[in-house]
Amino acid sequence: MVINVFFTVMLIAIAMPLHAMCPTATYSPAPVTDGVSKQLAVERRAQVQDVRYVLSFNIPEEKAKPVTGEATISFEWQGKKSDSLQIDFQGEVSGHVRVNGKARPADHRLEHIIIPGRLLKSGKVNHVKVAFVSGDKALNRNDDYLYTLFVPDHARSVFPCFDQPDIKARFQLALQLPSEWTAISNGKSLPNTPQGGGRTSFGFEETDLLPTYLFSFTAGKFHTATAWRDGRELTILHREDDSKKTAQLDTIFDQAALSLRWLEEYILIKQPFQKYGLVVLPGYQFGGMEHPGCIQLRDQTVFLDDNPTIDERLNRLQLIAHETSHLWFGDLVTMRWFNDVWTKEVFANFMADKIAREQYPDINHDINFLKTHYLLALSTDRTEGTHPIQQPLDNLNNAGLLYGNIIYHKAPIMMRQLEERMGAEAFQRGLQKYLKKFSFANATWDDLIDILDHERPDAALKDFDALWVKKKGLAEVMVHAENGDFDPMEYGRYVMDGNSRQWLLSQWFTLPETQRYAAMIYIHDSYLRHQTSNAEAFTSLINGVRQQDNQLVTATCFSLLHDILTDTPSSLKPDYEKEMMTFGMQCADKSLRRRLLQGLTTRAISPAIVDTIYKIWETADHEVFNDRDYMGMAYHLALMKPDRCEQILSTQRQRLKNADLIKEFDFVSRGCTPDTKEQQWLFESLLLKENRAIEPYASALLSLLNDPLREPFSNRYILPALEKLEEVQQTGDIFFPLNWCQALLSGHRSKEARNLVRQFLQTHPNYPENLKGKLLQAAYRTMNNEK
């Protein structure tokens, strides 16, 4: 296979210059092209060793002013005089480039600074010094703070570097900042130095070995909290002012400490980096990002509102545990090329699931595993846009398209089966050997499989790998459910005969709770594949939910009911919504009541239920709902009651106290306007990249403009938004292309919408395959609505 040949070449490349690999063949150097091609990565890995960066940035308080900086890159050169060295950079070079102390005009083209080999000293340490103006793409600049997010290949947008995962380096950083700001980075902080004029210099010690995508810094107006756990200092930077939320800091520290302690005991390697820190960010476009020493987390997941559900408490722990697990899986041992990015993600999720078992021993963790992974994995794997767990990658500028539900959720299902196949002890020994062998280096999935195969040669792991990792799609799983005797953890395309289907529809809620949860998945899957009618599925689940005493089962059942309600004929919706509202309002547990009603309060359309929602919103009882819940209600009520739109939004804004929440509300709430000209203007504004800078806000606004209530008017947005998709991918972060498509299409079920999506696909026969896959994933319900 091509991929195995590539990895073999990569290993050879580490040991010798590229031109020495095939002395009888004609050597053709990597062309200068946008991005970082696989060929360039292999070539450059052979050319440079022992890389160090000394970086300084001058960050103005006004975000409209550019960030400037200076980089000195030191490295040992292994190339020839006839070679050239490509340094990745998308920003602007200021003046000349200095190579080993000598200034020369910058040869800066197609996102690369070209250094002729004749200016470099082979076998010795070389120094390249560049002054520059950073691009804003990965700086995530806000009015009074910024944070860098370089995964997978965005470091080159901010400073000149070798932006590939298998050239690890040490980074030394200095930041010139407004004096009232603070900062955190991967290295330990040095004493600050006042510079005068309201400016201060923040310095950091040299980091451990890191690839460029893991180097990061955050700067701005933040609160700092510290705590000691198990003999180590932990730090959190955050912007939260609500005392009820900051009271949760001790819990966050405890969960971080638990994660570190559990992982050290399981792996037998101490936390490998010089410090542990967290940065909690509003409007964050990911769940989290595993920068050593300055892990970034989304505020909504970490700081919980009143009456958090068990889902929300579990999600917080699993997010912290996931990002902490990356310190070993991804940070200590890093994939050689981003086609194996899934490897770090699967272990982070897999370890987080194990850690959650210790923190919440009373939870049914088989159900939690089904809840966390199966529905999301199936939501992609059943579509035409699915793909194997391991995907090919020709250039790092396409690496963001590899992310999604398959690597985050199907891969842990695979890993659980692999562990069962090997046995837990052999599996653990294999992981310990893998992490020890490749510490502070790079490895491939095949390297790990070789180690695991050596531990259990009788487990036929190569065959397992070929089926689960290298092949896409769903295998058929026969479900014989008449007596409830089936394996609830099987994954695939569920096939039931008529008797099994009818038995499940009428009796699923009588099963043991793990089988009960799996049965809900089967029923929902059967509904999506048009084997079970809307009425059958709704009746079965609403009858069954009344019999539940497990909150995880109840909450998921209600989520599936909301999903079914989306496609329910308008004549049936009033009765269905009434049943759901009645059940939700009668729930005694406040956190579960909130969880059950969240979807209904932002989707219901029958007049009586909308009036009930209005009364709930008007009362603003924070004993059950929180500010974000009431924001969602306000958006929906403004759409349902256009004559009261302005009054509803004005009232809701006055209730908000948090500055970051007000900023979000002001951006998103504009989408509620009943003025169609204003709606059109707002949509067209999103076609400009500067108006998509805060991606969660942009997605929320696009979703409001494409609310089901806006059809057929909103159908006019489909083609221009899809035409913009390639730019969205090129200018946005890794999850934004799919989020863009989902925000655009999830509210569309009409024949006209289906035809518009088909038209786009037919007129773009050579559309990039991975990007087409994201579109097909998001369009599944739009296209599948036609029986």
Side-chain angles (χ1 to χ4, degrees):
M1 295 175 64
V2 172
I3 196 162
N4 288 331
V5 171
F6 165 61
F7 287 135
T8 302
V9 171
M10 289 283 279
L11 292 171
I12 296 171
I14 295 172
M16 66 179 70
L18 194 70
H19 55 75
M21 289 186 202
C22 301
T24 59
T26 302
Y27 165 55
S28 178
V32 181
T33 59
D34 289 345
V36 178
S37 68
K38 187 188 296 184
Q39 182 184 354
L40 173 60
V42 174
E43 177 181 295
R44 201 160 53 185
R45 181 65 184 89
Q47 290 177 333
V48 297
Q49 297 177 5
D50 193 19
V51 179
R52 279 177 159 80
Y53 298 91
V54 177
L55 301 170
S56 64
F57 293 91
N58 183 36
I59 300 173
E61 187 166 13
E62 303 85 357
K63 70 176 183 178
K65 293 183 178 180
V67 171
T68 59
E70 188 173 88
T72 298
I73 310 173
S74 303
F75 55 90
E76 187 176 311
W77 170 248
Q78 299 296 328
K80 300 188 304 181
K81 291 185 180 298
S82 58
D83 294 337
S84 62
L85 175 64
Q86 297 186 39
I87 300 174
D88 312 321
F89 188 49
Q90 293 177 311
E92 300 176 16
V93 176
S94 302
H96 285 54
V97 173
R98 300 189 70 86
V99 182
N100 292 323
K102 296 181 179 180
R104 59 166 282 114
D107 181 3
H108 186 204
R109 49 195 161 95
L110 296 175
E111 303 180 352
H112 299 282
I113 301 169
I114 314 302
I115 308 296
R118 58 185 169 78
L119 301 179
L120 301 172
K121 297 175 288 187
S122 184
K124 297 182 179 181
V125 176
N126 292 259
H127 307 278
V128 175
K129 189 173 184 179
V130 185
F132 57 85
V133 178
S134 298
D136 277 347
K137 176 177 181 177
L139 287 172
N140 297 284
R141 300 178 72 182
N142 291 267
D143 290 337
D144 56 358
Y145 71 98
L146 61 78
Y147 58 93
T148 66
L149 194 52
F150 294 152
V151 67
D153 66 329
H154 297 335
R156 62 195 174 95
S157 72
V158 173
F159 64 95
C161 59
F162 304 120
D163 206 1
Q164 61 189 75
D166 63 343
I167 298 184
K168 291 193 171 186
R170 300 183 189 276
F171 297 80
Q172 188 172 336
L173 174 66
L175 299 173
Q176 305 294 323
L177 302 172
S179 294
E180 65 271 22
W181 286 23
T182 189
I184 189 171
S185 187
N186 310 93
K188 290 183 178 179
S189 297
L190 296 170
N192 301 338
T193 306
Q195 300 294 300
R199 307 282 293 173
T200 298
S201 177
F202 291 74
F204 300 88
E205 292 182 9
E206 187 176 70
T207 69
D208 303 292
L209 281 171
L210 299 173
T212 47
Y213 82 89
L214 288 175
F215 171 66
S216 182
F217 58 87
T218 296
K221 293 182 178 179
F222 286 89
H223 305 297
T224 302
T226 59
W228 286 85
R229 297 288 190 277
D230 301 325
R232 66 182 131 222
E233 186 178 31
L234 310 178
T235 302
I236 297 176
L237 261 65
H238 66 91
R239 290 172 55 83
E240 186 57 65
D241 294 319
D242 185 336
S243 60
K244 290 183 179 180
K245 293 184 177 178
T246 56
Q248 300 170 38
L249 286 167
D250 277 344
T251 300
I252 297 167
F253 281 126
D254 288 344
Q255 292 182 341
L258 165 67
S259 301
L260 288 165
R261 185 170 61 250
W262 190 95
L263 287 157
E264 288 178 340
E265 292 173 357
Y266 183 87
I267 295 166
L268 300 182
I269 297 175
K270 290 293 185 181
Q271 195 278 106
F273 296 94
Q274 55 186 260
K275 66 174 186 176
Y276 184 95
L278 303 173
V279 184
V280 183
L281 293 162
Y284 192 57
Q285 57 267 57
F286 295 0
M289 183 60 206
E290 65 266 20
H291 311 118
C294 51
I295 295 168
Q296 295 168 351
L297 302 172
R298 181 187 293 173
D299 64 339
Q300 293 177 44
T301 310
V302 174
F303 288 124
L304 304 184
D305 289 295
D306 294 340
N307 304 309
T309 65
I310 185 60
D311 278 355
E312 290 169 329
R313 296 196 296 272
L314 275 168
N315 287 343
R316 175 171 63 189
L317 170 64
Q318 288 181 295
L319 173 62
I320 293 169
H322 174 107
E323 302 304 336
T324 303
S325 298
H326 272 309
L327 295 175
W328 288 265
F329 298 97
D331 297 2
L332 178 65
V333 180
T334 307
M335 63 274 168
R336 190 175 297 284
W337 184 241
F338 257 91
N339 68 320
D340 272 334
V341 65
W342 69 274
T343 307
K344 72 183 182 73
E345 298 303 337
V346 65
F347 280 115
N349 265 344
F350 196 64
M351 295 299 145
D353 292 333
K354 288 179 176 291
I355 292 167
R357 289 176 180 268
E358 180 169 318
Q359 179 73 6
Y360 291 97
D362 297 331
I363 294 293
N364 182 324
H365 285 279
D366 284 339
I367 286 183
N368 189 47
F369 192 86
L370 287 166
K371 175 190 74 71
T372 303
H373 300 301
Y374 277 64
L375 286 167
L376 287 169
L378 287 166
S379 72
T380 295
D381 226 3
R382 66 166 62 93
T383 75
E384 293 182 29
T386 193
H387 54 79
I389 292 175
Q390 187 182 67
Q391 305 165 74
L393 179 65
D394 61 342
N395 192 304
L396 287 181
N397 59 16
N398 292 316
L401 294 173
L402 304 182
Y403 290 78
N405 287 331
I406 296 299
I407 74 169
Y408 281 100
H409 299 292
K410 183 178 181 179
I413 297 169
M414 175 277 295
M415 195 62 68
R416 178 176 171 134
Q417 297 204 20
L418 189 151
E419 182 186 46
E420 291 176 353
R421 193 181 186 98
M422 289 186 65
E425 291 184 4
F427 180 78
Q428 183 178 357
R429 284 197 308 271
L431 291 186
Q432 291 169 350
K433 291 178 180 178
Y434 162 78
L435 291 168
K436 183 177 180 180
K437 180 176 180 179
F438 294 103
S439 286
F440 290 108
N442 300 84
T444 69
W445 167 249
D446 291 340
D447 291 330
L448 175 58
I449 283 292
D450 287 342
I451 291 172
L452 297 179
D453 188 57
H454 186 266
E455 288 296 315
R456 279 294 306 270
D458 59 325
L461 296 186
K462 299 295 176 70
D463 293 339
F464 178 87
D465 172 45
L467 178 65
W468 272 94
V469 176
K470 306 298 199 313
K471 186 177 180 180
K472 72 174 182 178
L474 294 164
E476 286 194 349
V477 174
M478 300 300 298
V479 179
H480 300 289
E482 294 91 331
N483 57 3
D485 184 19
F486 57 87
D487 179 0
M489 307 308 292
E490 286 196 279
Y491 175 83
R493 180 179 291 107
Y494 303 111
V495 179
M496 297 181 283
D497 61 25
N499 291 335
S500 290
R501 189 176 67 85
Q502 290 301 324
W503 191 93
L504 278 183
L505 286 170
S506 62
Q507 300 295 325
W508 69 270
F509 47 85
T510 66
L511 293 166
E513 61 181 14
T514 305
Q515 278 87 350
R516 203 184 313 159
Y517 198 99
M520 291 192 301
I521 296 175
Y522 302 160
I523 291 169
H524 183 251
D525 186 67
S526 174
Y527 164 70
L528 291 178
R529 292 193 287 120
H530 305 301
Q531 295 173 345
T532 297
S533 71
N534 183 281
E536 286 178 314
F538 186 90
T539 300
S540 173
L541 293 177
I542 196 67
N543 288 340
V545 77
R546 297 188 178 104
Q547 316 297 322
Q548 303 311 311
D549 56 6
N550 183 303
Q551 286 197 10
L552 294 178
V553 176
T554 302
T556 297
C557 189
F558 235 66
S559 294
L560 298 179
L561 284 165
H562 284 305
D563 188 67
I564 292 167
L565 194 61
T566 303
D567 301 320
T568 296
S570 57
S571 60
L572 296 177
K573 277 192 175 182
D575 289 341
Y576 285 7
E577 290 178 357
K578 181 179 178 181
E579 286 192 77
M580 294 176 68
M581 178 62 79
T582 300
F583 180 81
M585 292 293 285
Q586 291 174 348
C587 180
D589 185 281
K590 290 181 180 179
S591 65
L592 183 58
R593 188 192 319 163
R594 171 175 164 260
R595 177 73 175 84
L596 298 183
L597 294 177
Q598 276 175 323
L600 200 60
T601 57
T602 57
R603 299 179 194 175
I605 62 170
S606 54
I609 302 303
V610 171
D611 286 343
T612 300
I613 295 167
Y614 185 86
K615 291 175 183 176
I616 293 171
W617 171 81
E618 194 174 36
T619 303
D621 177 10
H622 281 73
E623 286 297 310
V624 177
F625 298 103
N626 58 52
D627 281 342
R628 192 166 290 281
D629 296 327
Y630 286 117
M631 284 168 61
M633 291 183 212
Y635 297 153
H636 185 62
L637 290 168
L639 295 181
M640 291 298 303
K641 298 177 179 289
D643 57 322
R644 300 190 200 176
C645 174
E646 188 174 341
Q647 172 257 319
I648 290 169
L649 297 179
S650 176
T651 301
Q652 182 58 43
R653 191 185 192 282
Q654 290 173 16
R655 294 173 175 174
L656 300 175
K657 305 302 180 186
N658 180 278
D660 292 319
L661 212 55
I662 292 171
K663 177 182 175 182
E664 176 184 345
F665 184 82
D666 286 347
F667 187 95
V668 176
S669 63
R670 299 174 300 160
C672 299
T673 176
D675 186 332
T676 55
K677 290 183 178 179
E678 181 73 7
Q679 292 171 29
Q680 182 69 34
W681 181 87
L682 286 168
F683 170 74
E684 291 173 358
S685 75
L686 289 175
L687 301 181
L688 303 176
K689 66 177 182 180
E690 57 267 28
N691 295 322
R692 304 190 299 265
I694 303 180
E695 293 172 2
Y697 297 2
S699 295
L701 176 56
L702 184 62
S703 182
L704 277 177
L705 294 173
N706 287 275
D707 189 274
L709 297 169
R710 258 70 191 269
E711 268 201 319
F713 181 83
S714 59
N715 288 334
R716 69 189 60 199
Y717 304 146
I718 292 176
L719 288 179
L722 292 180
E723 292 290 352
K724 190 60 65 170
L725 182 56
E726 286 189 86
E727 181 187 293
V728 166
Q729 185 255 322
Q730 293 160 4
T731 59
D733 273 308
I734 55 181
F735 300 111
F736 197 34
L738 179 60
N739 291 343
W740 176 265
C741 292
Q742 288 174 332
L744 173 70
L745 296 174
S746 61
H748 291 279
R749 295 290 190 273
S750 67
K751 181 178 180 180
E752 180 186 1
R754 289 194 294 276
N755 289 338
L756 288 168
V757 175
R758 289 193 184 110
Q759 178 184 333
F760 179 82
L761 293 170
Q762 289 167 0
T763 56
H764 297 76
N766 299 316
Y767 204 66
E769 196 63 29
N770 285 352
L771 198 55
K772 179 182 176 181
K774 300 300 182 189
L775 169 56
L776 290 172
Q777 292 165 29
Y780 176 77
R781 296 296 293 275
T782 305
M783 308 303 287
N784 192 48
N785 201 46
E786 185 177 48
K787 298 182 181 180

